[in-house]
Amino acid sequence: GCTSNEPESTDDGDENTAEESGDDGAASGGNANDETGETVTIGFSGPEADHGWLAAINSSALAEADKYDDVELRAAEGTNDASLQIQQVETFINEGVDAIVLLPTDGAALTDIATRAMDAGIPVVNVDREFSSPFAARTTILGDNYGMGVSAGTYACQLIEENNIDDPVIAEIAGIDALPLTQDRSQGFADALDACGEDVDNRVAAEFTVQSGEAVTSNLLQAAPEIDIIWNHDDDQGVGVKAAFDNAGRDEFFFIGGAGSSNAMEWIQQGEMEATVLYPPTQAADGIRLARLLAQGKGMSDLVQVEVPRRIVLNAPVVTADNVDEYMHLGFDS
Amino acid sequence: MRGIVKEFPGVRALDGVDLDVVAGEVHCLLGQNGAGKSTLIKVLAGAHQPDEGEVSWLGEETRISDPMSAMRLGIATIYQELDLVDGLTVAENIYLGHEMATTGFLHRAQAARSTRALMERLGHPEISPHTEVGRLSAAGKQIVSMARALSHDVRLIVMDEPSAVLDQEEVARLFKVIRDLVSDGVAVVYISHRLEEIREIGDRVTVLKDGRTVATGLPARGTPTAEVIRLMTGRSIEYVFPERSFRPTAGEPALEVRELSRAGEFSDVSFEVAPGEIVGFAGLVGSSRSEILETIYGARKATSGSVLVHGRELRPGSVGSAVAAGVGLCPEERKSQGLLMTESIIRNVSLASLSRFARGSFINHGAERAAAVEQVKGLDIRPHDPSREVRTLSGGNQQKVVLGRWLLKGCDVLLLDEPTRGVDVGARSELYALIRELADNGVAIVLVSSEVPEVLGLADRVLVIREGRVVHTGPAADIDEHQVLDLVMEGSVT
Amino acid sequence: MASSAGRNMGLVVGLLIIIAIGVITAGDRFATFDNMMTILRYASIIGVVSIGMTFVIAGGGIDLSVGAIVALASVWATTVATQTMAADSHWIVMVFAALAVGAGCGLVNGVLVAYGRMAPFIVTLAMLAAARGLAEIISQRRTQIVDVRDFLSFFGGSVLGVPVLVIIFALVAAAGWVLLNRTTFGRRTLAVGGNSEAARLAGIKVQRHTMMLFVLLGVACGIAAVMLMVRTTTGTSTHGLLLELDAIAAVVIGGTLLSGGRGTIVGTVFGVLIFATLTNIFTLNNLDTSTQNVAKGAIIVAAVLLQQRVAARNGGT
Amino acid sequence: MASSAGRNMGLVVGLLIIIAIGVITAGDRFATFDNMMTILRYASIIGVVSIGMTFVIAGGGIDLSVGAIVALASVWATTVATQTMAADSHWIVMVFAALAVGAGCGLVNGVLVAYGRMAPFIVTLAMLAAARGLAEIISQRRTQIVDVRDFLSFFGGSVLGVPVLVIIFALVAAAGWVLLNRTTFGRRTLAVGGNSEAARLAGIKVQRHTMMLFVLLGVACGIAAVMLMVRTTTGTSTHGLLLELDAIAAVVIGGTLLSGGRGTIVGTVFGVLIFATLTNIFTLNNLDTSTQNVAKGAIIVAAVLLQQRVAARNGGT
Ligand SMILES: Nc1ncnc2c1ncn2[C@@H]1O[C@H](COP(=O)(O)OP(=O)(O)OP(=O)(O)O)[C@@H](O)[C@H]1O
Ligand SMILES: Nc1ncnc2c1ncn2[C@@H]1O[C@H](COP(=O)(O)OP(=O)(O)OP(=O)(O)O)[C@@H](O)[C@H]1O
Ligand SMILES: [Mg+2]
Ligand SMILES: [Mg+2]
C-alpha cells in the first residue's frame, strides 16, 4: 500500500511541471526539477563492475550525478561480496548521507541493512535487484528480468510462427547460473516458450565474460549440430558467443541477445543478429535522479503525484532491425 | 627380536635378524653402511612394521604397531637422521608427543625446568629451553635428541650413531650418561661406526651384514677389532691412514683466506692451502668450523676479509663465483643441505657438473649415467643401482653420494665438512685413500672433522679453532691428540 | 616470546600507517566509534575463518574451500525444513545445522588429505567446486531468507555497544590463541606442519591430527556461515565468494608460514584488521574498484616486505 | 623412465574412462573430428598456461596471477594504440606486446619471490589483484575488439584441418617437454624445487633460476593471451577469470608435486585434456552448472586417487 501519496498535496505539483530546461537532450527530459536546489549527499553502491553492463551502470550513475551541482556523490564502487557491500552501506549510514542508491549484489542479503538505513531516516532507492521487504526501500526501480525472458521467448515464438519452423531446436546461453536474476530470465523464457508449445533443447551457462561465452558456445555448437534459435542472456558475453559462431562457421539460426550493448545494436544493423532484448543500464542513473528528488523532497515532474512513486518497472522491449535506430543511443559499451 | 624381515620395494633390508638385549647392558650393533641397522631399530621403535618375525619384550611377545606403543613399553629412540622440528623450541621438541599437560593445557614452566635439568645432566646448561631448535648446530640438535630420549621413562634406549656429529669431549659426556643409565638397569642399544667407541662403552656386540645377523653376543672388549671388521665386511681391512706425501712447493697457494670474519660467528681467520695440501680444522662442536667453510664457499656472506682462489678474489656471498673458480663443498647436513632426497643417485651426483654433460644445455643422458655409475663403483655406494632414489639409501651411502658429486666435478679446492660422518670402517679407509689421492693429484683440501685422529692422520697442516678464532696453526706431524685437545679446551698448550 | 613480539611489530606499524592514512584522508568520518564498529563487524566473518585457516596452514595444509563451505552451511541452515524446525523449537537448530555442515565438509577434506594422502590444495579445490554446486542445488539458486526472528535478534544485537558478531570474533580469536599457544593440540599442530615425519616418530598421530585441523576449520566456517546469515539475513550459494583468498592472505600477511610449522593468531588478527581497514578507507575515499585492486596488490607486497624487514631486525636471522 | 610411464598410466586410464563415458552418453556427437577439435581448441589455452605452470610448480613455486596476466596482456595488445601500430606495420606488434606484458608481469613476480624472499602464493595473489585492476583501468572496462584482420586470419586458420591454436599448444607442450626433460634448465628446475638449499650449495643460481621460471610462465601467459584474442576476437579485463585454478588443477592432477621437485609435462597435458573433455561431455549432455560442479569435484578426487594407486603399483613406493 502506497500510503505516502497524499491526494491533497497535488497543488505543489504545478511547480514541477512549470518549466522545461530542455538542455539535457531528448532522453533526460530536463525540467524545473533540474534546477539547483539544496546540496544533497547521495551514497551509491553497486556490484563489481566486472563486465560491460555493470560498468555502464556505474558510469551512467556517476555521469548523472556529475550533471547536478547540488549532488555530492559517495560512490562505494563495486563488490560481489554481500558482506562487503553491507560495510559500504553502513559507512553511508555512519556518514549520514541524504539518500542511498543501492544496486545490491543480492537483494535479499542487503534488505536488512537497507531497512536500517530507512529506519535511520535515509531514503533508499533500490535498483535492479529487488529487496525482500517493502520496508527496505523508499523507491524501487527495476529492470524486469523475468520480463526480459518473456520478451525473448515471445519473440522466439513469433519467429517460429513467421518462418514456419517445424520442431525447432532452441538453445539458451545463460549468464552466471547461481544468480537469481539468471533464474528469473530463464524462467521467463521457458514460460513464454511454453505458451507457444516449445521448450529449450540445449542450455549452457556462461559467466557474463567474453571468454566464458566463447567457451560454452563452442561446446554448445557441438552438442547441437542444427539450431534454429539461440537466446543469449547477455550481450557482454555475446561478443564471445559471436566469436564462437564465427569460429565454427555456423549461422543457420536466429541469434537473439540480451541487455542491448552497442555491439549488439551494430550487429542488428548489419544483419548479423536478429534482435536483442533491452535491459537498460541507465536505471542506476534514474536511481540517482530519484534519490536526489527524494532528498530534496520533490516529486517527479511528469507525474501528477507529489512524491516519487514506490515502484518503477522498466520495460524490456525487443530491439530488431526495424527499430534499432530508435534505441541506438541506449546501447552501452560492453 | 627374532627372525625380523623387512622388505622395501626392490630390497630386502632385513632378512631374518635376531637381536637380544638384556637389562643393564650396552649392546652394540655393528655393520656396514646399508647393513640394516637403522631399519632394525626402526622396527623396534615402531616406525616400521616388520614383514615377518617377532618381538618379545620382558619375555612376552608384543606387537609394536606405532612409535607411541614403543614409547609406552619404555623404548626410546635417537634416530640417525635428526628428526626434530626446527620451528619449535628445545623444550617443546623434548616433550613433543608426551607434553607436560593437564587436559591438554601445557605446563610450560615445568617443561622448561625439566629441560634445564636434562641439559644440565647432558653437560649443556648453555642450551636454553626456549631456543628454537632450527638455530642449533647439528651437534646441538643431537644433544636435544638425546635429551628427548632421556625425557621418557625408559627401560631401553636405542641410539643410532649418536656420536657421528660429536667431538671427543661430547662423546665422553655421552658415555658418562650412558654409564649412569646402565647402572640404573636401563638397556642401551648403541650403533656407531667408530670401533674404538665400541671397545670403550660396549658390553656385547651384534654384527649385521646384508640384512642378516652374522654374529651375536660377542664380548665387546674381548673381540679383536680386526675380527669385528672381518665379520662386518667379509674381508680384513688395514685401518690406517695413508702415507702423507705432500711436499710444499714454492708458488701460488690454491686457496688463500685473508682475515675472514663474520659478526658473531668467527673473526680474523687467515690461512693458505697449497695445491695438493690437506689442511685440517680441529675444534669443538660449535667452534664455527662449518660457518668458516660455508663463508669461504660463499654460502654465507663475510662481514670482512677476502677469499682468493689461485690469486683471484671470489665475490663475497656468491656460491656461483666459488664454484666457477673450482671450489666444492660437502656440507655438514647431507639431508637438508646436500641431497635431493626424491631424485636418483645419478641426478644427485651430476648436479654440480651438469653443464659437462650438456651440449648447448641439452643433457646427454648416457654420458651422465656413465659418469654416475663410475662414482657409484668408485665409492662403493650400495646398492649399485644408480637410478635408485637417494631417499632409500642408508645414511652412510647418502654421504658418499654427496662426495661423489664433487669428485665428479673435479675441483681444485675441496671443502669437506665431516666427510666420514656415518661412514663405515671399510668405506672410511677407502675414503681416506681417496682424499689422499685427490690431494696427490693437486687438489687443495680443507677438512673439518670432529675426530681428532682423523684430522691428524689425514691433514698435512692443522688449524685449531676455538670459539671462532684460530688458536694454532702448524704441521700435523708436530702435534699430538693431547695437545690438540688442550688447545681446543684452553686455547693454549699446557 | 620476544621474537614473536618482534615479528608482530611490522604488523602493528603497518596497521598504524593505514590508520594514519585513514585519518588523513577521511578524518572525521574515519575516526568515529561507529566506523570502527563497521570495520570490526566486516572483519569478524573473515576473521573467524582466518583463525581456523591459521591452524590448517600452520599444520602444513591449505584450504581453498572455505568460501564454498560457508555458502553450503548457510544454505543448509536456512532451508525451509531447518527454519521450520528452528521456529518450532529453538534457533539453536540453525546454528547446529551450520556447524554440522561445516564440520562435515571439513571432515571430508581432512580424511582425503590425511588418509587419502592427497595434496590439500587439490582436495579443497575439488571441495570448492562440489560444495558450491551442492549449495546451488539445495537452494535451487534462490536466496533463502532467514525468518527466525529470535535467531536474528540474538546474534544481531550488541553488548555495551559492541556487536555480538564482533564479540564472537573476539572469543574465537581468544580460543584460537589459547589452543595454539597453550595446549598440546597447538604444539602438535606446529610439529605436524614443521616436520611431519619427526612428529610421527614422536608418537603423534599425524593423520588424525591433520584430519582434526580440517574439521576445526570446517567448524570455523560453520560459525562464519551463522555470522553471515545474521549479517545478510540470508543463506545463499553465492556467500563467501573468494573468501579463501582473503583468509589466506590475512593469515600469511600475519606471519604464519605457508609451508607450515609456524603460526600466529595475533598476526592473523592483525592481517584481517589491515585488510578490513583498508577496504573501509577505500570506501570512504570513493576509490573505484580498479584502482582499489592495484592499490591492494601493492599494499600486500609492501606489508609483507615491511613485516619481513622488521622481523629480521628484531628477531635475528 | 619406466616409473614415469607408470605414473602416467593412471591418467591414461582416467582419460579413457572419460572418453568412454562420452561415447556412451553422446556417441554420435562426441566421437567426431569436429568435436575433437572443439575439445582441443578449448584445451589449448589452458594448456599453454599449464605447461608454464608445470615449471613454476616443479620449481617449488605457485602462481595465482596467470589469469590476471592473461587479461592484462590481452588488453594491452588490443588497445587502440597497439592495434593502430599493428595495422600500420605488422600484426607481430600485437603478439610482441602480449608477450612483453606477460614477461614483464612474470619478472615482477619472479623478482619479488626470488630476491624479495616472499612467498609465491602471496606475491602472485597481489599480482592477481593488481594486474586485473590495471587491465580494467587500461581498457576502461570496455571489451576491445580486434580489428587487425591479418592477425585473426593468421592465427584463426587451420593447417591440414588442425586449428593453428591447437598446433601452438602442441608446439609449446613439445618445447616444454624437451626443456624439462632434456636440458640443464629443466634439471635445475627440479633441483631447485626439490631442495633449494642443496641446489644452492651445488652452485646453482637459485634466485636467478626461480625468477626465470616466473618469467617463463609469464611468457606462456602472453601466448595464451594471443590465443584468447584470436578465439574471442577481443581483449578484455575479464579474460582468464579463475584460469589459475584450472591450470593448477591440471598440473597437479597430471602428477607434478605441489611441493616441488617433480614435474611432468605429459601428465599436465593429460590433466588438461581430462578437464576439457569433461567440460565438453557435460555440455553435450546438457548438464546444469551445479551438477557439473559437484561432478567435477568428485572427478578430481577420483582421478588423483586413481593415479596415486596406479603409480604406487607401477612405480614403487
Ligand atoms: N624407505 C626405504 N625404501 C627403500 N629402501 C630402503 C628404505 N630405507 C632403507 N632402505 C634400504 O635398506 C637397507 C638398509 O638400510 P639401513 O638404513 O637400515 O642401513 P644402516 O645399516 O643403518 O646403514 P648406515 O650405517 O649407512 O646408516 C639399505 O639397502 C637401504 O637402501
Ligand atoms: N655445544 C653446543 N651444542 C649445541 N649448539 C651449539 C653448541 N655450541 C655452539 N652451538 C651453536 O652452534 C653454532 C656454531 O656451530 P657450528 O656448526 O658452526 O660449529 P662447528 O664447529 O662447525 O661444529 P660441528 O663440528 O658440529 O660442525 C654456535 O653459534 C651456537 O649457536
Ligand atoms: Mg643407519
Ligand atoms: Mg659444523
Side-chain angles (χ1 to χ4, degrees), chain B residues 190-249:
Chain B
Y190 189 88
I191 300 177
S192 175
H193 289 296
R194 299 180 184 174
L195 297 183
E196 65 281 2
E197 290 177 3
I198 307 303
R199 195 167 296 284
E200 196 181 332
I201 191 77
D203 295 314
R204 293 193 303 154
V205 174
T206 292
V207 182
L208 296 188
K209 182 172 183 331
D210 300 335
R212 259 180 271 248
T213 312
V214 290
T216 186
L218 298 179
R221 277 168 208 91
T223 319
T225 307
E227 170 68 5
V228 173
I229 293 177
R230 201 191 51 72
L231 283 168
M232 279 166 62
T233 62
R235 61 205 158 110
S236 43
I237 285 171
E238 284 296 302
Y239 187 48
V240 291
F241 294 100
E243 193 79 355
R244 251 188 283 274
S245 63
F246 175 70
R247 301 272 170 279
T249 49

Side-chain angles (χ1 to χ4, degrees), chain B residues 124 126-127 135-141 143 165 170 264-265 283-291 332 417-418 448 450:
Chain B
H124 284 279
E126 83 283 359
I127 298 182
R135 291 172 190 242
L136 294 180
S137 67
K141 289 181 186 172
I143 286 153
V165 289
E170 294 285 354
E265 288 173 358
L284 287 185
V285 158
S287 56
S288 293
R289 295 161 304 171
S290 299
E291 276 83 350
E332 182 176 22
D417 199 348
E418 309 279 4
V448 168
S450 296

Side-chain angles (χ1 to χ4, degrees), chain B residues 63-338:
Chain B
R63 228 178 69 81
I64 304 176
S65 55
D66 56 23
M68 206 50 182
S69 50
M71 282 173 221
R72 273 200 215 98
L73 292 176
I75 302 173
T77 310
I78 302 170
Y79 295 95
Q80 181 173 16
E81 300 299 343
L82 303 168
D83 277 314
L84 298 174
V85 183
D86 279 352
L88 295 184
T89 66
V90 169
E92 287 167 348
N93 263 288
I94 289 178
Y95 289 102
L96 188 63
H98 60 284
E99 295 86 354
M100 294 182 161
T102 16
T103 61
F105 287 89
L106 299 166
H107 302 306
R108 299 184 317 142
Q110 193 188 332
R113 268 199 307 278
S114 320
T115 303
R116 268 192 212 99
L118 280 169
M119 286 302 164
E120 204 108 352
R121 182 169 162 201
L122 289 166
H124 284 279
E126 83 283 359
I127 298 182
S128 152
H130 302 300
T131 309
E132 258 184 37
V133 158
R135 291 172 190 242
L136 294 180
S137 67
K141 289 181 186 172
Q142 184 71 60
I143 286 153
V144 175
S145 289
M146 262 181 305
R148 212 184 125 61
L150 294 179
S151 71
H152 290 273
D153 184 16
V154 285
R155 323 203 40 170
L156 169 64
I157 187 161
V158 183
M159 304 185 178
D160 197 352
E161 305 195 29
S163 59
V165 289
L166 301 182
D167 58 43
Q168 252 147 331
E169 203 206 344
E170 294 285 354
V171 172
R173 281 205 200 109
L174 170 65
F175 284 178
K176 187 174 164 301
V177 174
I178 292 180
R179 286 199 189 95
D180 288 349
L181 285 171
V182 168
S183 63
D184 292 344
V186 173
V188 174
V189 172
Y190 189 88
I191 300 177
S192 175
H193 289 296
R194 299 180 184 174
L195 297 183
E196 65 281 2
E197 290 177 3
I198 307 303
R199 195 167 296 284
E200 196 181 332
I201 191 77
D203 295 314
R204 293 193 303 154
V205 174
T206 292
V207 182
L208 296 188
K209 182 172 183 331
D210 300 335
R212 259 180 271 248
T213 312
V214 290
T216 186
L218 298 179
R221 277 168 208 91
T223 319
T225 307
E227 170 68 5
V228 173
I229 293 177
R230 201 191 51 72
L231 283 168
M232 279 166 62
T233 62
R235 61 205 158 110
S236 43
I237 285 171
E238 284 296 302
Y239 187 48
V240 291
F241 294 100
E243 193 79 355
R244 251 188 283 274
S245 63
F246 175 70
R247 301 272 170 279
T249 49
E252 211 167 59
L255 172 71
E256 203 177 333
V257 177
R258 288 186 191 155
E259 294 181 350
L260 201 64
S261 303
R262 227 177 101 82
E265 288 173 358
F266 57 88
S267 53
D268 291 332
V269 174
S270 302
F271 65 97
E272 293 176 0
V273 191
E277 187 181 23
I278 302 178
V279 168
F281 279 19
L284 287 185
V285 158
S287 56
S288 293
R289 295 161 304 171
S290 299
E291 276 83 350
I292 296 174
L293 284 199
E294 287 175 14
T295 309
I296 293 172
Y297 191 56
R300 294 168 185 248
K301 198 164 180 178
T303 340
S304 66
S306 56
V307 178
L308 290 84
V309 174
H310 294 307
R312 300 254 309 274
E313 191 170 337
L314 299 185
R315 203 145 53 82
S318 158
V319 173
S321 132
V323 171
V327 185
L329 168 75
C330 288
E332 182 176 22
E333 289 198 41
R334 56 176 173 248
K335 197 171 171 182
S336 65
Q337 299 182 296

Side-chain angles (χ1 to χ4, degrees), chain A residues 38 41 44-45 58 64 74 86 138 140 162 182 187 190 249 253 287 301:
Chain A
E38 68 177 298
T41 310
F44 170 67
S45 169
N58 278 351
E64 200 61 29
R74 296 247 181 277
I86 289 172
R138 166 63 184 78
T140 304
E162 282 171 5
T182 299
Q187 194 59 50
F253 39 73
S301 46

Side-chain angles (χ1 to χ4, degrees), chain B residues 8-9 11-14 31-40 42 48 80 160-161 191 193 208 334 382-383 388 391-398 422-424, chain D residues 317:
Chain B
F8 294 113
V11 206
R12 208 171 165 90
L14 297 178
Q32 275 182 293
N33 293 136
K37 306 179 294 292
S38 299
T39 308
L40 181 68
K42 278 189 184 162
H48 283 329
Q80 181 173 16
D160 197 352
E161 305 195 29
I191 300 177
H193 289 296
L208 296 188
R334 56 176 173 248
R382 283 161 196 258
R388 220 180 152 76
R391 186 168 57 87
T392 67
L393 297 183
S394 74
N397 282 307
Q398 291 179 354
V423 174
D424 69 42
Chain D
T317 27

Side-chain angles (χ1 to χ4, degrees), chain C residues 19-306:
Chain C
I19 289 178
I21 295 176
V23 171
I24 293 167
T25 58
D28 47 335
R29 290 170 297 142
F30 178 77
T32 66
F33 179 79
D34 277 354
N35 193 46
M36 291 300 131
M37 286 306 127
T38 297
I39 295 177
L40 286 178
R41 242 189 325 247
Y42 172 63
S44 62
I45 295 172
I46 301 175
V48 167
V49 174
S50 301
I51 298 290
M53 186 70 87
T54 306
F55 281 86
V56 166
I57 293 182
I62 195 153
D63 193 336
L64 301 180
S65 64
V66 288
I69 294 179
V70 167
L72 182 59
S74 82
V75 165
W76 212 308
T78 55
T79 55
V80 178
T82 320
Q83 291 210 46
T84 312
M85 236 161 83
D88 290 351
S89 50
H90 193 269
W91 52 258
I92 202 84
V93 172
M94 290 169 67
V95 176
F96 183 79
L99 297 188
V101 171
C105 292
L107 186 68
V108 173
N109 279 339
V111 167
L112 288 172
V113 169
Y115 298 98
R117 291 166 197 284
M118 297 171 62
F121 197 98
I122 281 301
V123 169
T124 58
L125 191 63
M127 177 59 83
L128 161 61
R132 226 176 255 291
L134 199 57
E136 286 170 15
I137 292 174
I138 292 178
S139 68
Q140 295 172 300
R141 301 192 189 118
R142 302 271 164 195
T143 303
Q144 300 173 165
I145 303 191
V146 178
D147 295 322
V148 185
R149 299 306 317 173
D150 293 353
F151 173 82
L152 292 178
S153 58
F154 181 85
F155 288 105
S158 332
V159 177
L160 303 175
V162 182
V164 172
L165 294 188
V166 176
I167 295 175
I168 294 179
F169 174 34
L171 290 178
V172 169
W177 188 87
V178 171
L179 190 61
L180 188 65
N181 296 297
R182 289 288 180 265
T183 70
T184 55
F185 185 86
R187 285 304 84 148
R188 290 174 181 186
T189 301
L190 298 180
V192 167
N195 184 342
S196 69
E197 179 62 11
R200 186 177 80 90
L201 292 178
I204 294 172
K205 298 200 166 27
V206 172
Q207 293 179 311
R208 207 181 60 185
H209 196 93
T210 303
M211 189 189 74
M212 304 250 288
L213 291 175
F214 281 93
V215 174
L216 188 78
L217 176 50
V219 172
C221 290
I223 298 176
V226 170
M227 295 166 79
L228 205 51
M229 279 152 52
V230 175
R231 198 164 148 79
T232 65
T233 68
T234 59
T236 124
S237 59
T238 58
H239 273 340
L241 270 179
L242 299 186
L243 180 58
E244 54 277 7
L245 293 188
D246 288 342
I248 295 171
V251 170
V252 177
I253 293 229
T256 295
L257 270 192
L258 253 182
S259 49
R262 181 165 285 163
T264 144
I265 297 289
V266 177
T268 297
V269 171
F270 270 104
V272 171
L273 291 182
I274 285 178
F275 276 114
T277 311
L278 212 56
T279 311
N280 179 260
I281 294 175
F282 286 153
T283 308
L284 289 178
N285 284 301
N286 281 344
L287 232 62
D288 72 278
T289 1
S290 313
T291 318
Q292 278 190 28
N293 278 332
V294 175
K296 199 165 161 186
I299 287 169
I300 292 178
V301 170
V304 174
L305 282 178
L306 174 76

Side-chain angles (χ1 to χ4, degrees), chain B residues 308-367:
Chain B
L308 290 84
V309 174
H310 294 307
R312 300 254 309 274
E313 191 170 337
L314 299 185
R315 203 145 53 82
S318 158
V319 173
S321 132
V323 171
V327 185
L329 168 75
C330 288
E332 182 176 22
E333 289 198 41
R334 56 176 173 248
K335 197 171 171 182
S336 65
Q337 299 182 296
L339 293 168
L340 310 172
M341 297 301 280
T342 56
E343 290 276 24
S344 63
I345 297 178
I346 304 180
R347 291 182 169 206
N348 270 283
V349 167
S350 68
L351 190 62
S353 25
L354 267 185
S355 39
R356 175 153 12 126
F357 308 108
R359 191 176 302 153
S361 91
F362 286 90
I363 299 174
N364 177 341
H365 287 95

